[in-house]
Amino acid sequence: MRVQQKTLKDLFIDQLKDIYFAEKQIYKTLPKLVQAAESAELKKAFTDHRVQTEDHISRLETVFEMLGKSPQAKTCEAIKGIMTEGDETIEEYGESEAIDAGLVASGQAVEHYEMARYGTLIAWAKQLAMPDAAKLFAATLQEEKAADQLLTKIGLGAVNKKSAAA
Ligand SMILES: [Fe+2]
């Protein structure tokens, strides 16, 4: 017998609060990555992704509205951990030739976390008969995937350039 009365919808709302926290945190942190990046290409990628992140946040707010709830964030320990690692990279490699490779790695860790979350949210939204929410999540997921692919490309460039110079 189940002791708790919690439902998939409760879990869905919790997850929504988690990614809402994460997106806001990402929005706040991206300027630091822009600042730390060496190449103009990487600076631009982070700057552009910050603009997209504004949309990610407002799409989540729309889903809260659909649920009749005001937007609420719940501390996401995972994103905090990923960001602490990013800070360490900047601290330890900020003045080195490896900084862009390190920042690409941090950015990709963030994107993959988000991709995992949005993938799950899409499935649950469909399950909960919220196709419009699923569509909003899918639009964001596409942008996270594109950002990840761009980072892969920039990362290869950063690594190749350094090994050519060595
Ligand atoms: Fe995002």
Side-chain angles (χ1 to χ4, degrees):
M1 199 187 95
R2 295 195 175 93
V3 180
Q4 287 188 328
Q5 298 299 312
K6 288 186 178 172
T7 63
L8 178 64
K9 191 166 178 183
D10 295 321
L11 188 59
F12 176 79
I13 292 168
D14 266 344
Q15 201 80 267
L16 194 63
K17 291 176 184 173
D18 175 287
I19 192 74
Y20 188 58
F21 176 92
E23 291 283 17
K24 290 181 97 163
Q25 211 57 33
I26 292 162
Y27 184 76
K28 248 193 266 172
T29 303
L30 275 165
K32 194 160 64 182
L33 303 189
V34 173
Q35 175 98 44
E38 192 182 297
S39 79
E41 200 185 12
L42 186 54
K43 281 181 190 291
K44 184 178 184 313
F46 287 142
T47 304
D48 291 350
H49 196 60
R50 188 165 191 254
V51 176
Q52 287 183 326
T53 300
E54 282 178 37
D55 290 337
H56 301 177
I57 292 170
S58 72
R59 284 181 192 133
L60 292 173
E61 288 168 350
T62 304
V63 176
F64 276 109
E65 249 171 63
M66 288 172 177
L67 290 159
K69 296 196 172 294
S70 45
Q72 203 190 328
K74 182 180 169 195
T75 304
C76 168
E77 295 297 342
I79 206 76
K80 278 172 72 181
I82 292 171
M83 283 178 174
T84 302
E85 284 190 359
D87 286 341
E88 283 171 16
T89 299
I90 294 172
E91 232 168 82
E92 291 167 26
Y93 291 91
E95 304 300 322
S96 82
E97 62 159 35
I99 186 57
D100 280 3
L103 292 173
V104 164
S106 300
Q108 288 194 294
V110 171
E111 292 314 320
H112 281 250
Y113 177 75
E114 291 188 288
M115 282 153 61
R117 289 301 180 183
Y118 282 110
T120 298
L121 282 167
I122 290 168
W124 289 352
K126 286 180 183 164
Q127 188 74 23
L128 293 165
M130 296 182 65
D132 292 342
K135 263 182 226 159
L136 290 175
F137 295 142
T140 298
L141 179 59
Q142 273 320 106
E143 290 173 0
E144 309 293 17
K145 279 185 183 166
D148 178 56
Q149 281 162 8
L150 178 61
L151 286 173
T152 297
K153 198 182 127 238
I154 295 173
L156 284 173
V159 171
N160 289 340
K161 198 176 73 193
K162 296 303 175 196
S163 53

